[in-house]
Amino acid sequence: MHPMLNIAVRAARSAGDLILRHADQIGTLRINQKSKNDFASEVDRKAEQEIIRIIQSAYPGHAIVAEESGVHRGDEEFVWIIDPLDGTTNFLHGFPQYAVSIALKQKGKIEVAAVYEPLRDELFTASRGGGAMLNNRRIRVTKQNSLRGALIGTGFPFKHQQHLDAYLDMFRVLCIDSAGIRRGGAAALDLAYLAAGRLDGFWEIGLQEWDMAAGVLLVKEAGGVVTDFSFDDQYLTSGNIIAGSPKMHQIIYQSIEPHITDNLKS
């Protein structure tokens, strides 16, 4: 295993264990609202601290971008991107769909990724050029070549409701022709499931870098394509993403393109 991926895996598993230990104590947790529809608990913060501790023990000079504590300065050649608990709202409601997401960028390119779903003990990993794995088994995106029969993942733009009309138009056109649309509430897992062939495609508006960095590498290393709404590679900064096999990505893009407003292309 890539040595830096080994650290990501160790950190993800340790954070996942911490999250599970608190899963039956949800009623006693301290919770704060960061913004409308955006919550964090003490578990998010403790899991993030554990991840940072493990990374800094191995690579004390590396920079870190973490959802809860922000930017930790360091060598900008190496930047760890951390979402300690993707799907916090699910976790706080006892809804079993959440994960730890860790990625490492080197010179601006995502090199390693780990998404760990502690409830099912499922570990999704990837290293650039080395393929994507689920619990040490190689995974690939599906060969689905039409919307008919396709299962598509998404997330509602609840933090960016100015885009809701455009999103609903996209939702409508894909819902009519596909086998169904699933909204799990944890983008890191949605992308991991896409890489593993559990979903055929995915799109979302307004994600943060830590929501998708690890998942993007998983999809790419599983044979998929990822772009923003301008058919470019600026998804980590725009927050807008389309992902799938080469064919399914093209189908989703062509389906939603008439409903992509100008401010979603920037």
Side-chain angles (χ1 to χ4, degrees):
M1 184 181 290
H2 190 297
M4 293 182 185
L5 179 56
N6 188 49
I7 294 300
V9 167
R10 187 190 309 171
R13 285 194 176 277
S14 185
D17 290 345
L18 185 153
I19 291 166
L20 282 185
R21 290 198 299 272
H22 289 82
D24 60 353
Q25 304 169 15
I26 294 171
T28 66
L29 297 178
R30 293 191 303 274
I31 301 166
N32 71 288
Q33 185 169 349
K34 297 186 289 184
S35 61
K36 183 178 180 181
N37 298 324
D38 191 9
F39 300 90
S41 73
E42 60 185 297
V43 176
D44 296 68
R45 291 184 285 273
K46 287 179 179 179
E48 184 172 287
Q49 290 166 6
E50 176 66 2
I51 293 167
I52 292 172
R53 181 189 68 79
I54 291 171
I55 290 172
Q56 290 183 334
S57 294
Y59 301 106
H62 287 191
I64 294 172
V65 176
E67 179 176 10
E68 304 306 330
S69 58
V71 176
H72 300 245
R73 298 294 180 186
D75 181 357
E76 295 299 325
E77 179 179 348
F78 298 94
V79 182
W80 294 85
I81 305 167
I82 300 168
D83 191 338
L85 178 50
D86 187 39
T88 297
T89 299
N90 286 348
F91 173 76
L92 293 176
H93 286 79
F95 191 89
Q97 185 85 352
Y98 46 84
V100 180
S101 178
I102 303 172
L104 171 68
K105 285 198 302 188
Q106 183 177 1
K107 296 181 179 179
K109 294 183 177 180
I110 306 172
E111 289 290 330
V112 302
V115 173
Y116 181 52
E117 187 177 12
L119 284 167
R120 295 182 178 88
D121 191 27
E122 289 192 329
L123 177 67
F124 302 83
T125 57
S127 56
R128 191 161 69 92
M133 312 286 283
L134 167 54
N135 290 348
N136 298 314
R137 174 179 59 82
R138 190 170 293 277
I139 51 177
R140 298 287 294 177
V141 295
T142 68
K143 297 180 180 179
Q144 180 73 22
N145 59 11
S146 72
L147 275 178
R148 186 180 299 274
L151 187 63
I152 308 298
T154 190
F156 304 139
F158 61 92
K159 297 180 189 176
H160 304 275
Q161 294 184 2
Q162 71 272 23
H163 300 309
L164 187 57
D165 287 342
Y167 173 81
L168 290 175
D169 288 337
M170 298 174 191
F171 187 98
R172 184 178 297 108
V173 70
L174 291 173
C175 185
I176 289 171
D177 292 330
S178 68
I181 296 179
R182 298 290 182 266
R183 194 272 184 176
L189 272 183
D190 291 333
L191 291 166
Y193 285 4
L194 173 60
R198 296 174 181 175
L199 293 170
D200 296 300
F202 178 81
W203 96 102
E204 189 161 348
I205 293 171
L207 290 172
Q208 297 292 332
E209 185 176 23
W210 48 76
D211 295 320
M212 57 177 155
V216 162
L217 185 63
L218 286 168
V219 171
K220 288 185 172 182
E221 289 298 324
V225 173
V226 182
T227 71
D228 58 19
F229 287 179
S230 297
F231 221 85
D232 203 347
D233 63 357
Q234 300 304 305
Y235 38 83
L236 292 181
T237 52
S238 73
N240 305 324
I241 184 172
I242 305 170
S245 68
K247 180 63 175 178
M248 187 55 60
H249 175 278
Q250 181 183 34
I251 290 170
I252 294 174
Y253 176 78
Q254 290 174 342
S255 298
I256 70 174
E257 195 276 334
H259 309 292
I260 298 174
T261 58
D262 288 343
N263 58 354
L264 285 173
K265 294 179 180 179
S266 58

